Amino acid sequence: MKFRLASAAILASSLFVGAGASAQTVFSASSWVAPTHPLSVSQKQWCDALEKESAGRMKCNILPKMVSAPPGTFDAVRDGLADISFTVDGYTPGRFVNTQVAEFPFLGDNAIATSVAYQHIYSKYFAPLGEHKGVKVLGVFTHGPGIIFNSKKPVTHASDAASLKWRIGGGNINELTKLLGWNTTLKPATEAFELLSTGVMDGTLFPDESVSAFKLSMIKHATTFPGGLYNTSFVFMMNPAKYDALSAQDKAVVDKLSGEYVARTYGVNWERADDASVNGAQKAQGVARIQASEAFVNEVKAKQAALEDKWVAAAEAKGLKNARGVLAEFRAEIAKIK
């Protein structure tokens, strides 16, 4: 009798443990950059916070390999190949319109201010219009100010850049460099090392961290701009079916860790990586840094004005009211966060 009671207790205990284990929600999280990159670091921090805030009811399984090349990541999350990931809006040209507001030149000098301000504008204006339809948006953010990097010579004017071959990541900077007459090719950041090391490209437009993150030891020259030559719009997202299947309690945890929490997490990590690259890899390999002259800045502004007009028309055609006012509000928000 005692044996039967003990056996029953053990069985009940195992069933309870099994039920508890099956009740845990595990999210597959995919990254297309190295684990040390600020994108991956931020995703891991978010996943750790998710597990802690949910008392272990939710956790992430960080996949050892990306489920898709960077341009296909949005669709991969939408279709459930991964539950969580991030991507660059500009990697799929023409797909997103409103997000281009975060890609314009001269927005800000650090990723924290631009990311948090972008999230505020996104939540207020873009999310209600269905931007990023097909995924559950956890947050949006930008990288640090975009810089001209190359292995050949100082770039002091637009004409200097026109004589070189460039890898760019898409978005507004793709259109801007075309207007400036530069020879550019749209490729993901992950291909930068091969393109530059083989001489297929002479340079790339990147934030500071990328010189270190992608081991671009061939870079010798950098041209910076006040507020950056460009920014890149990112989205951090979840498969909507995975979110919809959560309990109300667990949805509340995800929501708590969305929005500004995401923007600030990614912004802080990117800012740290930018600083580390400037004072580490770039200093070690002797990158010569110059700031764009007023004349160079004005060359860019002259071309960018037409692109902002084009964006205003396109955004308003998609339902955004007073797009020019939204852009002005975005710039004011960045200045306020500083």
Side-chain angles (χ1 to χ4, degrees):
M1 184 66 176
K2 289 182 179 179
F3 175 77
R4 289 179 180 176
L5 289 174
S7 298
I10 292 171
L11 177 60
S13 175
S14 66
L15 289 173
F16 178 77
V17 171
S22 64
Q24 185 182 57
T25 300
V26 179
F27 297 91
S28 60
S30 176
S31 174
W32 37 265
V33 286
T36 54
H37 191 281
L39 286 168
S40 298
V41 170
S42 298
Q43 180 170 257
K44 176 64 165 56
Q45 287 182 2
W46 188 90
C47 286
D48 290 344
L50 181 73
E51 186 169 3
K52 181 179 180 181
E53 290 288 331
S54 68
R57 295 188 308 277
M58 295 183 284
K59 66 177 295 185
C60 294
N61 173 31
I62 306 292
L63 300 175
K65 294 182 179 180
M66 62 184 176
V67 298
S68 169
T73 302
F74 183 93
D75 292 339
V77 172
R78 181 197 63 191
D79 298 339
L81 298 180
D83 297 321
I84 294 171
S85 192
F86 46 81
T87 195
V88 174
D89 293 310
Y91 280 173
T92 49
R95 188 170 191 172
F96 305 105
V97 174
N98 294 330
T99 61
Q100 293 173 18
V101 75
E103 300 169 355
F104 294 161
F106 320 126
L107 288 176
D109 289 315
N110 73 80
I112 302 170
T114 53
S115 293
V116 173
Y118 178 35
Q119 180 63 61
H120 291 172
I121 294 298
Y122 183 93
S123 297
K124 184 175 179 180
Y125 295 107
F126 303 158
L129 295 175
E131 196 80 41
H132 298 116
K133 182 180 179 181
V135 301
K136 166 67 176 176
V137 174
L138 300 173
V140 296
F141 58 97
T142 75
H143 60 41
I147 296 169
I148 296 175
F149 290 106
N150 81 92
S151 60
K152 301 295 185 182
K153 64 180 183 180
V155 173
T156 59
H157 297 282
S159 58
D160 294 329
S163 66
L164 302 174
K165 295 172 294 183
W166 302 95
R167 183 226 70 97
I168 57 172
N172 182 77
I173 192 62
N174 185 34
E175 300 303 315
L176 177 59
T177 52
K178 286 179 182 177
L179 290 180
L180 288 167
W182 300 359
N183 181 3
T184 59
T185 300
L186 180 63
K187 292 289 184 179
T190 49
E191 297 185 27
F193 178 83
E194 181 179 359
L195 292 169
L196 270 68
S197 64
T198 56
V200 174
M201 299 292 162
D202 301 311
T204 181
L205 277 59
F206 262 149
D208 271 315
E209 60 78 27
S210 298
V211 174
S212 175
F214 298 110
K215 305 185 187 309
L216 303 182
S217 58
M218 70 292 293
I219 294 298
K220 297 301 178 186
H221 302 279
T223 305
T224 66
F225 290 75
L229 177 61
Y230 74 103
N231 272 289
T232 293
S233 166
F234 290 83
V235 58
F236 182 48
M237 57 199 164
M238 177 182 287
N239 175 265
K242 194 78 171 186
Y243 176 81
D244 291 342
L246 297 175
S247 67
Q249 182 183 21
D250 286 348
K251 284 180 180 176
V253 173
V254 173
D255 293 346
K256 177 183 177 181
L257 299 177
S258 297
E260 185 170 332
Y261 181 91
V262 168
R264 196 168 290 278
T265 297
Y266 277 87
V268 166
N269 283 314
W270 215 303
E271 186 68 10
R272 289 173 180 166
D274 277 345
D275 290 343
S277 177
V278 172
N279 297 309
Q282 292 187 48
K283 187 175 181 179
Q285 64 198 57
V287 175
R289 296 173 69 89
I290 59 173
Q291 182 164 313
S293 65
E294 184 178 356
F296 196 174
V297 170
N298 287 336
E299 284 183 277
V300 173
K301 285 182 176 179
K303 299 298 184 181
Q304 179 61 27
L307 293 178
E308 291 185 13
D309 290 342
K310 180 180 177 181
W311 174 80
V312 166
E316 291 184 351
K318 289 283 188 177
L320 181 65
K321 297 179 180 179
N322 188 21
R324 200 174 299 279
V326 171
L327 174 55
E329 185 177 340
F330 178 38
R331 286 177 169 142
E333 189 74 9
I334 294 170
K336 184 170 66 176
I337 293 171
K338 290 179 182 178

